[in-house]
Amino acid sequence: DVRVALIGFPSAGKSTLLSKVTKTQSECAAYEFTTLTCIPGVINYKGTEIQLLDLPGIVEGASEGRGRGKQVIATARTSDLILLLIDASKAEHHRPILEMELENVGIRLNKKKPGVYFKKKAHGSTNTIAYTATCKLTHLDEKLVKDILHDYKIHNAEVVIREDITVDEFIDVVEGNRAYLPCIYAYSKADQNTLEEVDRLARLPHSVVISCHWDLNLDGLLDTMWEYLDLVRVYTKKKGNPPDFENPFIMRGGGTVEQVCLRIHKDMLNKFRYALVWGTSAKHASQCVGKEHVLDDEDVIQIVVKTGNQLESDRYKLEKEMKSVVKK
């Protein structure tokens, strides 16, 4: 359903973590670079299959190709969540290096995409840059924006800035190849550190402290992964039957009834009449909703389709409208 990339320095405990939370047995040893290829595993959690990728350890300079770093990081760009596994005893040294390597290849950790509309236009006789800012900017102005675009040889474009952003964030928008991914910092080997250091690391933003040797806080790590992935489980129900709690539909947060219909069958949307919803997104039990209704986690949905006569009536109305358009 979703993919999580496990990234870290050699001997950080990635293969051990993979063996602990999945049924995949990855080779573990006391020397570095034990894992030389990507090893996948599957975590079955809350009815969801989460693919965990044990990537080879990266080294300083990986973004420049050292130690096959580019291939490793390219795999991470396709994931839904990045799990940075860091040796707790080397956290102050390893974490900035890992963040810098990912930053250099265009991966932005725990950042949202800037609120900027940018569109390049074809070159014409009058090349102009249409600039609009809907808020007060403290790092940019119209002249600086145009200078940056001219450096990229862009002379005809439309720019609408909707929030106060930095110069680097605007360059990310112009480049257009940045990946904005959620990230969890997991500090391993907590059993080898003092309680004061473990407490300090656990209080850092986006951080979880674990110990694979003692199986400490592995459940907490899975809970945090579920929260960051922002997944929604939707159960289906047939008329007159209990809900099917065995095989839920897994969707992103903010998923609608329309997306459930498309997951069932592409023709379901054409036959859709209304849906009955039970759960936290409904104002009352068995609320009748349309296809734009946003579903919450563990909602139950029953889809009601149109009858043959209703489909025939819709087809007749469509043909009548098309004929009237042709006459006009």
Side-chain angles (χ1 to χ4, degrees):
D1 297 313
V2 289
R3 178 183 296 172
V4 178
L6 186 56
I7 299 177
F9 276 88
S11 296
K14 299 186 296 299
S15 299
T16 305
L17 177 62
L18 180 73
S19 301
K20 288 286 185 179
V21 298
T22 71
K23 296 180 180 179
T24 303
Q25 295 300 317
S26 182
E27 183 181 356
C28 305
Y31 53 86
E32 296 183 348
F33 298 104
T34 308
T35 304
L36 299 177
T37 59
C38 176
I39 300 178
V42 177
I43 303 172
N44 294 304
Y45 188 72
K46 293 186 178 182
T48 306
E49 292 185 347
I50 302 174
Q51 186 183 48
L52 183 63
L53 300 179
D54 179 14
L55 300 176
I58 64 174
V59 295
E60 190 172 358
S63 58
E64 300 173 357
R66 186 181 176 189
R68 296 174 59 192
K70 286 188 176 181
Q71 293 90 328
V72 174
I73 297 177
T75 305
R77 288 178 65 96
T78 64
S79 62
D80 301 288
L81 171 68
I82 290 182
L83 181 60
L84 286 184
L85 194 65
I86 305 170
D87 189 337
S89 60
K90 305 175 183 177
E92 296 298 329
H93 177 60
H94 283 181
R95 175 169 171 168
I97 295 176
L98 290 172
E99 291 177 333
M100 182 186 65
E101 296 298 335
L102 296 177
E103 185 90 7
N104 290 340
V105 296
I107 297 179
R108 303 294 180 258
L109 303 178
N110 295 322
K111 293 181 180 179
K112 64 177 183 178
K113 194 172 182 180
V116 178
Y117 172 78
F118 173 71
K119 182 180 180 181
K120 290 191 292 185
K121 297 182 179 179
H123 290 283
S125 57
T126 57
N127 292 328
T128 57
I129 295 178
Y131 170 85
T132 305
T134 61
C135 64
K136 183 179 179 180
L137 302 179
T138 57
H139 305 282
L140 287 172
D141 55 31
E142 183 175 359
K143 182 179 182 303
L144 183 55
V145 167
K146 291 183 177 180
D147 289 342
I148 293 173
L149 293 179
H150 289 161
D151 289 341
Y152 281 89
K153 298 181 180 180
I154 299 174
H155 305 284
N156 194 10
E158 183 179 358
V159 179
V160 180
I161 302 178
R162 302 188 179 94
E163 64 181 31
D164 188 16
I165 61 173
T166 63
V167 175
D168 291 337
E169 288 175 330
F170 180 71
I171 292 175
D172 288 345
V173 174
V174 176
E175 292 278 356
N177 59 353
R178 304 299 190 246
Y180 298 87
L181 299 175
C183 174
I184 298 174
Y185 301 92
Y187 297 96
S188 62
K189 305 179 182 181
D191 53 288
Q192 300 178 9
N193 290 265
T194 62
L195 289 177
E196 292 77 9
E197 180 65 11
V198 169
D199 181 67
R200 187 188 69 83
L201 293 175
R203 295 178 184 275
L204 295 176
H206 315 293
S207 299
V208 178
V209 180
I210 63 172
S211 171
C212 295
H213 181 66
W214 286 353
D215 293 344
L216 291 177
N217 204 28
L218 296 182
D219 292 338
L221 175 61
L222 295 179
D223 289 339
T224 306
M225 288 171 57
W226 176 266
E227 177 185 351
Y228 276 63
L229 287 169
D230 190 24
L231 298 178
V232 171
R233 294 163 292 175
V234 178
Y235 303 101
T236 55
K237 177 184 179 302
K238 292 183 180 180
K239 185 178 180 180
N241 294 322
D244 179 15
F245 291 114
E246 297 295 328
N247 300 304
F249 285 100
I250 307 299
M251 303 189 303
R252 289 288 183 184
T256 62
V257 174
E258 181 178 0
Q259 295 176 2
V260 176
C261 294
L262 293 174
R263 291 282 296 274
I264 297 174
H265 197 275
K266 60 181 180 180
D267 291 337
M268 180 65 71
L269 201 58
N270 298 327
K271 300 178 181 179
F272 178 83
R273 186 180 179 189
Y274 62 88
L276 300 176
V277 176
W278 293 260
T280 56
S281 70
K283 297 180 179 178
H284 55 80
S286 68
Q287 180 186 357
C288 181
V289 300
K291 58 186 179 181
E292 296 85 8
H293 180 77
V294 178
L295 298 167
D296 289 344
D297 188 29
E298 294 188 301
D299 276 358
V300 177
I301 181 174
Q302 176 183 327
I303 298 175
V304 180
V305 298
K306 298 177 182 178
T307 63
N309 291 335
Q310 290 172 330
L311 291 172
E312 188 65 30
S313 176
D314 291 345
R315 190 179 299 110
Y316 174 75
K317 290 179 181 178
L318 181 60
E319 291 177 354
K320 189 175 181 180
E321 290 176 359
M322 292 180 65
K323 288 179 180 179
S324 62
V325 171
V326 171
K327 288 181 180 179
K328 291 181 181 180

